[in-house]
Amino acid sequence: MRFILRMAWRETRAVWRRMLFFYICVAVGVGAIVALRSIIQNVRVTLVGEARAIFGADVMVSSTRPWTPDTVEAIHGVLAGRQGVERTNVIETSTMVRPEREDRPGTRMVELKAVQPGFPFYGEIELESGRAYSHGLLTENGVIVQRDLLLQLGLEVGERILIGGEPFTIRDVIAREPGRQVSTFTLGSRVFIALDALQRLDLLGFGSRAVYRILLRTVPPADGRQLARGLERATRDEFVRVRHYRGTEEGITEDLVRAEDYLSLVGFVIVVLGGIGVW
C-alpha cells in the first residue's frame, strides 16, 4: 500500500495543475446539477401550491358540444345528493369584434369568455385600474378586455365595440386571469362577457367553435375526487370530460420530474465528456 501511494504521488506531482483543473471541472459540473435540481424542485412546489388557482375550480366538467338534456339530467342527478357544492357555468368561443365608431376601422378575432356570477372560485381577476373585479362590470352589456385589443383597435376604456352586431362598453382592462395556463394556445385577445349576454347573441349556432364548462367548488375540497368519479360514471357515454384539479397538479409534477431527469442526464454527460477531455 505504501508503494502504491508513493507511485501515485510521483505520477501526479508533475501534473498537479491538470489534476486540480480536472477536479474543479467535476465540482462545477456536480454543483450545476445540484443547483438545477434545486431550482426545479422550488418551481414544482410553487406551481403545485397554485394548482387550484391555475385550474380555477375543484372539479371541471367540459364539452365541445352544447349540453344535451340527458347530460344535464345526469349531472344534476350526481349533484342533487351532495351538500356544499357551488357551481358556475362558463362558455368560451371565438368571434370577430370591431369598434362601434366608423372612424376606427379594423376587425379582430377575439376569444370570448362568458361567465356567471361567482366566477372565479379560486384566484382573482386583476384589473389594470386596480379596482376589484365583480360581475357587475359585465352587466348591461359591459366587457373587460386585454390591453393588446385596445392597442390593435385604437380604443380606450369607456368606448364600445360590436360583438355579434350589438354594442358592448369596455369597462376595464385585464391584467391577470386565473384558470388560464401560460402555454394555452390562443386565437386572439381575451374578452370577458356575461353568460346571459352571449346566449342572447347569435354566436353559438351550428358550426360555432365553443367549449362549454361547468366549474364546481366542493366544501370540503377533499370531496372533489369522489364527486369527479361520480360525474365520470354518469357522463361516460357522452362527449364530456371530467377533471379534478389534482390531475393538473399531478401533470405539472410529472412534467417537471421529466424535465429534471432529462436536464440532469445532460449535465452528467457534459461532466463525463469534460473529464475525458481533461484526461
Side-chain angles (χ1 to χ4, degrees):
M1 186 64 182
R2 185 176 178 183
F3 173 76
I4 294 175
L5 293 176
R6 290 177 60 186
M7 292 297 294
W9 169 250
R10 190 181 69 176
E11 293 295 329
T12 58
R13 185 171 54 184
V15 292
W16 66 271
R17 293 183 179 85
R18 298 179 185 177
M19 291 293 297
L20 178 62
F21 181 66
F22 168 74
Y23 285 121
I24 290 176
C25 290
V26 173
V28 170
V30 173
I33 293 176
V34 172
L36 174 65
R37 297 181 74 93
S38 176
I39 292 173
I40 291 180
Q41 290 287 348
N42 291 335
V43 172
R44 180 194 304 175
V45 171
T46 302
L47 290 180
V48 168
E50 297 293 328
R52 185 176 291 168
I54 294 174
F55 194 68
D58 291 319
V59 179
M60 179 188 297
V61 185
S62 60
S63 176
T64 56
R65 300 185 178 188
W67 302 114
T68 63
D70 292 339
T71 303
V72 173
E73 183 178 355
I75 294 174
H76 285 172
V78 175
L79 299 179
R82 297 182 179 272
Q83 301 294 329
V85 178
E86 300 179 35
R87 167 182 173 174
T88 187
N89 285 37
V90 175
I91 300 178
E92 297 184 24
T93 186
S94 300
T95 188
M96 305 297 291
V97 303
R98 65 181 180 86
E100 183 187 37
R101 294 172 51 179
E102 295 296 337
D103 60 338
R104 298 288 177 85
T107 303
R108 291 292 183 273
M109 175 172 284
V110 299
E111 288 191 346
L112 283 183
K113 186 167 186 175
V115 299
Q116 289 182 317
F119 178 89
F121 285 138
Y122 300 102
E124 296 181 357
I125 298 177
E126 298 180 6
L127 304 175
E128 289 190 1
S129 64
R131 59 178 170 175
Y133 165 81
S134 67
H135 192 74
L137 293 172
L138 308 181
T139 58
E140 298 179 356
N141 281 17
V143 295
I144 57 176
V145 304
Q146 289 183 316
R147 170 62 62 182
D148 53 354
L149 181 63
L150 298 183
L151 297 176
Q152 292 169 0
L153 298 179
L155 298 176
E156 298 291 340
V157 175
E159 297 188 88
R160 300 204 292 184
I161 57 176
L162 296 179
I163 305 176
E166 189 170 332
F168 286 81
T169 303
I170 301 173
R171 300 277 172 77
D172 215 315
V173 179
I174 305 169
R176 181 176 178 272
E177 171 194 349
R180 192 181 195 188
Q181 300 180 8
V182 176
S183 60
T184 302
F185 174 75
T186 61
L187 295 176
S189 301
R190 181 76 89 184
V191 175
F192 274 74
I193 188 175
L195 183 62
D196 55 355
L198 176 62
Q199 293 174 335
R200 190 174 64 247
L201 303 174
D202 188 21
L203 297 177
L204 300 176
F206 177 77
S208 62
R209 176 185 174 273
V211 179
Y212 300 80
R213 293 191 174 96
I214 299 175
L215 306 183
L216 303 172
R217 177 167 62 181
T218 59
V219 181
D223 295 340
R225 279 193 177 276
Q226 184 179 0
L227 176 60
R229 287 193 291 267
L231 290 170
E232 285 179 350
R233 290 192 296 268
T235 59
R236 184 172 300 172
D237 298 330
E238 305 291 337
F239 294 92
V240 174
R241 183 182 181 187
V242 180
R243 291 183 293 167
H244 187 259
Y245 85 93
R246 285 289 184 183
T248 301
E249 178 180 315
E250 293 167 359
I252 292 173
T253 301
E254 291 177 1
D255 291 341
L256 289 176
V257 168
R258 191 177 297 111
E260 179 181 357
D261 293 341
Y262 173 76
L263 293 176
S264 297
L265 178 61
V266 172
F268 177 73
V269 171
I270 292 174
V271 170
V272 172
L273 293 178
I276 294 174
V278 172
W279 175 78

Coordinates of all heavy atoms in Angstrom, one line a residue, residues 156-229:
E156 N -60.0 53.1 -26.1 CA -59.8 53.4 -24.7 C -60.9 52.8 -23.9 O -62.0 52.5 -24.4 CB -59.6 54.9 -24.5 CG -58.5 55.5 -25.2 CD -57.1 55.1 -24.7 OE1 -57.1 54.6 -23.5 OE2 -56.1 55.3 -25.4
V157 N -60.7 52.7 -22.6 CA -61.7 52.2 -21.7 C -62.8 53.2 -21.7 O -62.6 54.4 -21.7 CB -61.1 52.1 -20.3 CG1 -62.2 51.7 -19.3 CG2 -60.0 51.0 -20.2
G158 N -64.1 52.7 -21.8 CA -65.2 53.6 -21.9 C -65.8 53.6 -23.3 O -67.0 53.9 -23.5
E159 N -65.0 53.2 -24.3 CA -65.6 53.2 -25.7 C -66.2 51.8 -25.9 O -66.2 50.9 -25.1 CB -64.4 53.4 -26.7 CG -63.8 54.8 -26.6 CD -62.9 55.1 -27.7 OE1 -63.3 55.6 -28.8 OE2 -61.7 54.8 -27.6
R160 N -66.9 51.7 -27.1 CA -67.7 50.5 -27.3 C -67.2 49.7 -28.5 O -66.7 50.3 -29.5 CB -69.2 50.9 -27.5 CG -69.7 51.6 -26.2 CD -71.2 51.5 -26.1 NE -71.9 52.2 -27.2 CZ -73.3 52.3 -27.3 NH1 -74.0 51.7 -26.4 NH2 -73.8 52.9 -28.3
I161 N -67.4 48.4 -28.4 CA -67.1 47.5 -29.5 C -68.3 46.7 -29.9 O -69.3 46.6 -29.1 CB -65.9 46.5 -29.2 CG1 -66.3 45.7 -27.9 CG2 -64.6 47.3 -29.0 CD1 -65.3 44.6 -27.6
L162 N -68.4 46.3 -31.1 CA -69.5 45.5 -31.6 C -69.2 44.0 -31.6 O -68.2 43.6 -32.1 CB -69.9 45.9 -33.0 CG -70.4 47.4 -33.2 CD1 -70.7 47.6 -34.7 CD2 -71.6 47.6 -32.4
I163 N -70.0 43.3 -30.9 CA -69.9 41.8 -30.8 C -71.2 41.2 -31.3 O -72.3 41.5 -30.7 CB -69.6 41.3 -29.3 CG1 -68.4 42.0 -28.8 CG2 -69.4 39.8 -29.3 CD1 -68.1 41.7 -27.4
G164 N -71.2 40.5 -32.4 CA -72.4 39.9 -32.9 C -73.3 41.0 -33.4 O -74.6 40.8 -33.3
G165 N -72.8 42.2 -33.7 CA -73.7 43.3 -34.2 C -74.2 44.1 -33.1 O -75.0 45.1 -33.3
E166 N -73.9 43.8 -31.8 CA -74.5 44.5 -30.7 C -73.4 45.2 -29.9 O -72.3 44.7 -29.7 CB -75.2 43.5 -29.7 CG -76.0 44.2 -28.6 CD -76.9 43.2 -27.9 OE1 -77.2 42.2 -28.5 OE2 -77.1 43.4 -26.7
P167 N -73.6 46.5 -29.5 CA -72.5 47.3 -28.9 C -72.3 46.8 -27.4 O -73.3 46.6 -26.7 CB -73.1 48.7 -28.9 CG -74.6 48.6 -29.0 CD -74.8 47.3 -29.7
F168 N -71.1 46.8 -27.0 CA -70.7 46.5 -25.6 C -69.7 47.5 -25.2 O -68.7 47.9 -25.9 CB -70.1 45.1 -25.5 CG -71.1 44.0 -25.7 CD1 -71.6 43.6 -26.9 CD2 -71.6 43.4 -24.5 CE1 -72.5 42.6 -27.0 CE2 -72.5 42.4 -24.6 CZ -73.0 41.9 -25.9
T169 N -69.8 48.0 -24.0 CA -68.9 49.0 -23.4 C -67.7 48.4 -22.7 O -67.9 47.4 -21.9 CB -69.7 49.9 -22.4 OG1 -70.8 50.5 -23.0 CG2 -68.8 51.0 -21.9
I170 N -66.5 48.9 -23.0 CA -65.3 48.4 -22.4 C -65.2 49.0 -21.0 O -65.0 50.2 -20.9 CB -64.1 48.7 -23.2 CG1 -64.2 48.1 -24.6 CG2 -62.8 48.3 -22.5 CD1 -63.1 48.6 -25.6
R171 N -65.3 48.2 -20.0 CA -65.3 48.7 -18.6 C -64.0 48.7 -17.9 O -63.7 49.5 -17.1 CB -66.3 47.8 -17.8 CG -67.7 47.8 -18.3 CD -68.5 49.0 -17.8 NE -69.8 49.1 -18.4 CZ -70.9 48.4 -18.1 NH1 -70.8 47.5 -17.1 NH2 -72.0 48.6 -18.7
D172 N -63.1 47.8 -18.3 CA -61.7 47.8 -17.7 C -60.8 46.9 -18.6 O -61.3 46.3 -19.6 CB -61.8 47.3 -16.3 CG -60.8 48.0 -15.4 OD1 -59.6 48.1 -15.8 OD2 -61.1 48.3 -14.2
V173 N -59.6 46.8 -18.1 CA -58.5 46.0 -18.8 C -58.0 44.9 -17.9 O -57.7 45.1 -16.8 CB -57.4 46.9 -19.3 CG1 -56.3 46.1 -20.0 CG2 -57.9 48.0 -20.2
I174 N -57.9 43.7 -18.5 CA -57.5 42.5 -17.7 C -55.9 42.6 -17.6 O -55.2 42.7 -18.6 CB -57.9 41.2 -18.4 CG1 -59.4 41.2 -18.7 CG2 -57.4 40.0 -17.6 CD1 -59.8 40.1 -19.6
A175 N -55.5 42.5 -16.4 CA -54.0 42.4 -16.1 C -53.6 40.9 -15.9 O -52.5 40.5 -16.3 CB -53.6 43.2 -14.9
R176 N -54.5 40.2 -15.2 CA -54.1 38.8 -14.9 C -55.4 38.0 -14.8 O -56.4 38.5 -14.2 CB -53.3 38.6 -13.7 CG -52.9 37.2 -13.3 CD -52.0 37.2 -12.1 NE -51.6 35.8 -11.7 CZ -52.3 35.1 -10.9 NH1 -53.5 35.5 -10.4 NH2 -51.9 33.8 -10.6
E177 N -55.5 36.8 -15.4 CA -56.7 36.0 -15.4 C -56.3 34.6 -14.8 O -55.5 33.9 -15.2 CB -57.2 35.8 -16.8 CG -58.3 34.8 -16.9 CD -58.6 34.4 -18.3 OE1 -58.0 35.1 -19.3 OE2 -59.3 33.4 -18.6
P178 N -57.1 34.2 -13.7 CA -56.9 32.8 -13.2 C -57.5 31.8 -14.1 O -58.4 32.1 -14.9 CB -57.5 32.9 -11.8 CG -58.6 33.9 -12.0 CD -58.1 34.9 -13.0
G179 N -57.1 30.6 -13.9 CA -57.7 29.5 -14.7 C -57.3 29.4 -16.1 O -57.8 28.7 -16.9
R180 N -56.2 30.1 -16.4 CA -55.7 30.1 -17.8 C -54.2 29.8 -17.8 O -53.4 30.6 -17.3 CB -55.9 31.4 -18.5 CG -55.7 31.3 -20.0 CD -55.9 32.7 -20.7 NE -56.0 32.6 -22.1 CZ -56.1 33.6 -22.9 NH1 -56.1 34.9 -22.4 NH2 -56.2 33.5 -24.2
Q181 N -53.8 28.7 -18.3 CA -52.4 28.3 -18.3 C -51.6 29.2 -19.3 O -52.1 29.6 -20.3 CB -52.2 26.8 -18.6 CG -52.9 25.9 -17.7 CD -52.7 24.5 -18.0 OE1 -51.9 24.1 -18.9 NE2 -53.4 23.6 -17.3
V182 N -50.3 29.3 -18.9 CA -49.5 30.2 -19.7 C -49.3 29.6 -21.1 O -49.2 30.3 -22.1 CB -48.1 30.4 -19.1 CG1 -47.1 31.2 -19.9 CG2 -48.3 31.0 -17.7
S183 N -49.2 28.3 -21.2 CA -48.9 27.7 -22.5 C -50.2 27.5 -23.4 O -50.1 27.0 -24.5 CB -48.3 26.3 -22.3 OG -49.2 25.5 -21.6
T184 N -51.3 28.0 -22.9 CA -52.6 27.8 -23.7 C -52.5 28.5 -25.0 O -52.2 29.7 -25.1 CB -53.8 28.3 -22.9 OG1 -53.8 27.6 -21.7 CG2 -55.1 28.1 -23.7
F185 N -52.8 27.8 -26.1 CA -52.8 28.5 -27.5 C -54.0 29.4 -27.6 O -55.1 29.0 -27.2 CB -52.8 27.4 -28.5 CG -53.0 27.9 -29.9 CD1 -51.9 28.6 -30.6 CD2 -54.2 27.8 -30.6 CE1 -52.0 29.1 -31.8 CE2 -54.3 28.4 -31.9 CZ -53.3 29.0 -32.5
T186 N -53.9 30.6 -28.1 CA -55.0 31.5 -28.2 C -55.1 31.9 -29.7 O -54.1 32.0 -30.4 CB -54.8 32.7 -27.3 OG1 -53.6 33.4 -27.7 CG2 -54.7 32.3 -25.9
L187 N -56.3 32.2 -30.1 CA -56.6 32.8 -31.4 C -56.8 34.3 -31.4 O -56.9 34.9 -32.5 CB -57.9 32.1 -31.9 CG -57.9 30.6 -32.2 CD1 -59.2 30.1 -32.6 CD2 -56.8 30.3 -33.2
G188 N -56.7 34.9 -30.2 CA -56.9 36.3 -30.2 C -56.9 36.8 -28.7 O -56.7 36.0 -27.8
S189 N -57.2 38.1 -28.5 CA -57.2 38.6 -27.2 C -58.4 38.1 -26.4 O -59.5 37.8 -27.0 CB -57.3 40.1 -27.2 OG -56.2 40.7 -27.9
R190 N -58.3 38.0 -25.1 CA -59.4 37.5 -24.3 C -60.4 38.7 -24.0 O -60.0 39.8 -23.7 CB -58.9 37.0 -23.0 CG -59.9 36.5 -22.0 CD -60.4 35.1 -22.5 NE -59.6 34.1 -21.9 CZ -59.8 32.8 -22.2 NH1 -60.7 32.4 -23.0 NH2 -59.1 31.9 -21.6
V191 N -61.7 38.4 -24.1 CA -62.7 39.4 -23.8 C -63.7 38.7 -22.9 O -64.3 37.6 -23.2 CB -63.5 39.8 -25.1 CG1 -64.6 40.7 -24.7 CG2 -62.5 40.6 -26.0
F192 N -63.9 39.2 -21.7 CA -64.9 38.7 -20.8 C -66.3 39.3 -21.0 O -66.4 40.6 -21.2 CB -64.5 39.0 -19.3 CG -63.5 37.9 -18.8 CD1 -62.2 37.9 -19.2 CD2 -64.0 37.0 -17.8 CE1 -61.3 37.0 -18.7 CE2 -63.1 36.1 -17.3 CZ -61.8 36.0 -17.7
I193 N -67.3 38.5 -21.0 CA -68.7 38.9 -21.2 C -69.6 38.1 -20.3 O -69.2 37.0 -19.9 CB -69.0 38.7 -22.7 CG1 -70.4 39.4 -23.0 CG2 -69.0 37.3 -23.1 CD1 -70.7 39.3 -24.5
A194 N -70.8 38.7 -20.0 CA -71.7 38.0 -19.2 C -72.3 36.8 -20.0 O -72.5 36.9 -21.2 CB -72.8 38.9 -18.7
L195 N -72.6 35.7 -19.3 CA -73.1 34.5 -20.0 C -74.4 34.7 -20.6 O -74.7 34.3 -21.7 CB -73.1 33.3 -19.0 CG -73.6 32.0 -19.6 CD1 -72.6 31.5 -20.6 CD2 -73.7 30.9 -18.5
D196 N -75.3 35.4 -19.9 CA -76.6 35.7 -20.5 C -76.5 36.6 -21.7 O -77.4 36.5 -22.6 CB -77.6 36.3 -19.4 CG -77.0 37.6 -18.8 OD1 -75.8 37.9 -19.1 OD2 -77.7 38.2 -18.0
A197 N -75.5 37.5 -21.8 CA -75.4 38.3 -22.9 C -74.9 37.5 -24.1 O -75.4 37.7 -25.3 CB -74.4 39.5 -22.6
L198 N -74.0 36.6 -23.9 CA -73.5 35.7 -25.0 C -74.7 34.9 -25.5 O -74.8 34.7 -26.8 CB -72.4 34.8 -24.5 CG -71.9 33.8 -25.6 CD1 -71.3 34.5 -26.8 CD2 -70.8 32.9 -24.9
Q199 N -75.5 34.3 -24.6 CA -76.6 33.5 -25.1 C -77.6 34.3 -25.9 O -78.4 33.7 -26.7 CB -77.2 32.8 -23.9 CG -76.3 31.8 -23.2 CD -76.9 31.2 -21.9 OE1 -77.7 31.9 -21.3 NE2 -76.5 30.0 -21.5
R200 N -77.7 35.6 -25.6 CA -78.6 36.4 -26.4 C -78.1 36.7 -27.8 O -78.9 36.9 -28.7 CB -78.8 37.7 -25.6 CG -79.9 38.6 -26.1 CD -80.1 39.9 -25.3 NE -78.9 40.7 -25.3 CZ -78.1 40.9 -24.2 NH1 -78.4 40.3 -23.1 NH2 -77.1 41.8 -24.3
L201 N -76.8 36.6 -28.0 CA -76.3 36.8 -29.3 C -76.3 35.5 -30.2 O -76.4 34.4 -29.7 CB -74.8 37.2 -29.2 CG -74.5 38.5 -28.4 CD1 -73.0 38.7 -28.3 CD2 -75.2 39.7 -29.0
D202 N -76.3 35.7 -31.5 CA -76.4 34.5 -32.4 C -74.9 34.1 -32.7 O -74.5 34.1 -33.9 CB -77.1 34.9 -33.7 CG -77.4 33.7 -34.5 OD1 -77.4 32.6 -34.0 OD2 -77.6 33.9 -35.8
L203 N -74.2 33.6 -31.7 CA -72.8 33.2 -31.9 C -72.6 31.7 -31.5 O -71.5 31.2 -31.7 CB -71.9 34.0 -31.0 CG -71.9 35.5 -31.3 CD1 -71.0 36.2 -30.3 CD2 -71.4 35.8 -32.7
L204 N -73.6 31.0 -31.1 CA -73.5 29.6 -30.6 C -74.3 28.7 -31.5 O -74.7 27.6 -31.0 CB -73.9 29.5 -29.2 CG -73.1 30.3 -28.2 CD1 -73.6 30.2 -26.7 CD2 -71.6 29.9 -28.2
G205 N -74.5 29.1 -32.7 CA -75.3 28.3 -33.6 C -74.5 27.1 -34.2 O -73.4 26.8 -33.8
F206 N -75.0 26.5 -35.2 CA -74.4 25.4 -35.9 C -73.1 25.8 -36.5 O -73.0 26.8 -37.2 CB -75.3 24.8 -37.0 CG -74.7 23.7 -37.8 CD1 -74.6 22.4 -37.2 CD2 -74.2 23.9 -39.0 CE1 -74.1 21.4 -37.9 CE2 -73.6 22.9 -39.7 CZ -73.5 21.6 -39.2
G207 N -72.0 25.0 -36.3 CA -70.7 25.3 -36.8 C -69.8 26.2 -35.9 O -68.7 26.4 -36.3
S208 N -70.4 26.7 -34.8 CA -69.6 27.6 -34.0 C -68.6 26.7 -33.2 O -68.8 25.5 -32.9 CB -70.5 28.3 -33.0 OG -71.2 27.4 -32.2
R209 N -67.4 27.3 -32.9 CA -66.4 26.7 -32.1 C -66.5 27.2 -30.7 O -66.1 28.3 -30.4 CB -65.0 27.0 -32.7 CG -63.8 26.4 -31.9 CD -62.5 26.9 -32.5 NE -61.4 26.5 -31.7 CZ -60.9 27.2 -30.7 NH1 -61.5 28.3 -30.3 NH2 -59.9 26.7 -30.0
A210 N -67.0 26.3 -29.8 CA -67.2 26.7 -28.4 C -66.9 25.6 -27.5 O -67.0 24.4 -27.9 CB -68.7 27.2 -28.2
V211 N -66.5 26.0 -26.3 CA -66.2 25.0 -25.2 C -67.1 25.3 -24.1 O -67.1 26.5 -23.6 CB -64.7 25.0 -24.8 CG1 -64.5 24.0 -23.7 CG2 -63.8 24.7 -26.0
Y212 N -67.9 24.4 -23.6 CA -68.9 24.6 -22.5 C -68.3 23.9 -21.3 O -67.9 22.8 -21.3 CB -70.2 23.9 -22.9 CG -70.8 24.5 -24.1 CD1 -70.4 24.0 -25.4 CD2 -71.9 25.4 -24.1 CE1 -71.0 24.5 -26.5 CE2 -72.4 25.9 -25.2 CZ -72.0 25.5 -26.5 OH -72.6 26.0 -27.6
R213 N -68.2 24.7 -20.2 CA -67.6 24.2 -19.0 C -68.5 24.5 -17.8 O -69.2 25.5 -17.7 CB -66.3 24.9 -18.7 CG -65.2 24.6 -19.7 CD -63.8 25.0 -19.2 NE -62.7 24.6 -20.1 CZ -62.2 25.3 -21.0 NH1 -62.7 26.5 -21.3 NH2 -61.2 24.8 -21.8
I214 N -68.5 23.5 -16.9 CA -69.2 23.7 -15.6 C -68.1 23.6 -14.5 O -67.4 22.6 -14.4 CB -70.3 22.6 -15.4 CG1 -71.4 22.7 -16.4 CG2 -70.9 22.7 -14.0 CD1 -72.4 21.6 -16.3
L215 N -67.9 24.7 -13.7 CA -66.9 24.7 -12.7 C -67.6 24.4 -11.3 O -68.7 25.0 -11.1 CB -66.2 26.0 -12.6 CG -65.6 26.5 -14.0 CD1 -64.9 27.9 -13.7 CD2 -64.6 25.5 -14.5
L216 N -67.0 23.5 -10.6 CA -67.6 23.1 -9.3 C -66.6 23.4 -8.2 O -65.4 23.1 -8.3 CB -68.0 21.7 -9.3 CG -69.0 21.3 -10.4 CD1 -69.2 19.8 -10.5 CD2 -70.4 22.0 -10.2
R217 N -67.1 23.9 -7.1 CA -66.3 24.0 -5.9 C -66.9 23.2 -4.7 O -68.1 23.4 -4.5 CB -66.1 25.5 -5.4 CG -65.3 25.6 -4.1 CD -64.9 27.0 -3.8 NE -66.1 27.9 -3.7 CZ -65.9 29.2 -3.5 NH1 -64.7 29.8 -3.4 NH2 -67.0 30.0 -3.3
T218 N -66.2 22.3 -4.1 CA -66.7 21.5 -3.1 C -66.2 21.9 -1.7 O -65.1 22.4 -1.6 CB -66.3 20.0 -3.3 OG1 -64.8 19.9 -3.3 CG2 -66.8 19.5 -4.6
V219 N -67.1 21.7 -0.7 CA -66.8 22.0 0.7 C -67.1 20.8 1.5 O -68.3 20.4 1.6 CB -67.6 23.2 1.2 CG1 -67.2 23.5 2.6 CG2 -67.4 24.5 0.3
P220 N -66.1 20.1 2.1 CA -64.6 20.4 2.0 C -64.1 20.1 0.6 O -64.6 19.2 -0.1 CB -64.0 19.6 3.1 CG -64.9 18.4 3.2 CD -66.3 18.9 2.9
P221 N -62.9 20.6 0.3 CA -62.3 20.3 -1.0 C -62.0 18.9 -1.2 O -61.9 18.4 -2.4 CB -61.0 21.2 -1.0 CG -61.3 22.3 0.0 CD -62.1 21.6 1.0
A222 N -61.8 18.1 -0.1 CA -61.4 16.7 -0.3 C -62.5 15.9 -1.0 O -62.2 14.8 -1.5 CB -61.1 16.1 1.1
D223 N -63.7 16.4 -1.0 CA -64.8 15.7 -1.6 C -64.8 15.8 -3.1 O -65.6 15.1 -3.8 CB -66.2 16.2 -1.1 CG -66.4 15.9 0.4 OD1 -65.7 15.0 0.9 OD2 -67.2 16.6 1.0
G224 N -63.9 16.6 -3.7 CA -63.8 16.8 -5.1 C -63.5 15.5 -5.9 O -64.1 15.3 -7.0
R225 N -62.6 14.7 -5.4 CA -62.2 13.5 -6.1 C -63.4 12.5 -6.2 O -63.7 12.0 -7.3 CB -61.0 12.8 -5.4 CG -59.7 13.4 -5.8 CD -58.6 12.5 -5.3 NE -57.3 13.0 -5.7 CZ -56.7 12.8 -6.9 NH1 -57.3 12.1 -7.8 NH2 -55.5 13.3 -7.1
Q226 N -64.1 12.4 -5.1 CA -65.3 11.5 -5.2 C -66.4 12.0 -6.1 O -67.0 11.3 -6.9 CB -65.8 11.3 -3.8 CG -67.0 10.3 -3.7 CD -67.5 10.2 -2.2 OE1 -67.0 10.8 -1.3 NE2 -68.6 9.4 -2.0
L227 N -66.6 13.4 -6.1 CA -67.5 14.0 -7.0 C -67.1 13.8 -8.4 O -67.9 13.5 -9.3 CB -67.6 15.5 -6.7 CG -68.5 16.3 -7.6 CD1 -70.0 15.8 -7.6 CD2 -68.5 17.8 -7.2
A228 N -65.8 14.0 -8.7 CA -65.3 13.8 -10.1 C -65.5 12.3 -10.6 O -65.9 12.1 -11.7 CB -63.8 14.1 -10.2
R229 N -65.3 11.4 -9.7 CA -65.5 10.0 -10.1 C -67.0 9.7 -10.4 O -67.4 9.0 -11.4 CB -65.0 9.0 -9.0 CG -63.5 8.9 -9.0 CD -63.1 7.8 -8.1 NE -63.4 8.0 -6.7 CZ -62.5 8.6 -5.8 NH1 -61.3 8.9 -6.2 NH2 -62.8 8.8 -4.6

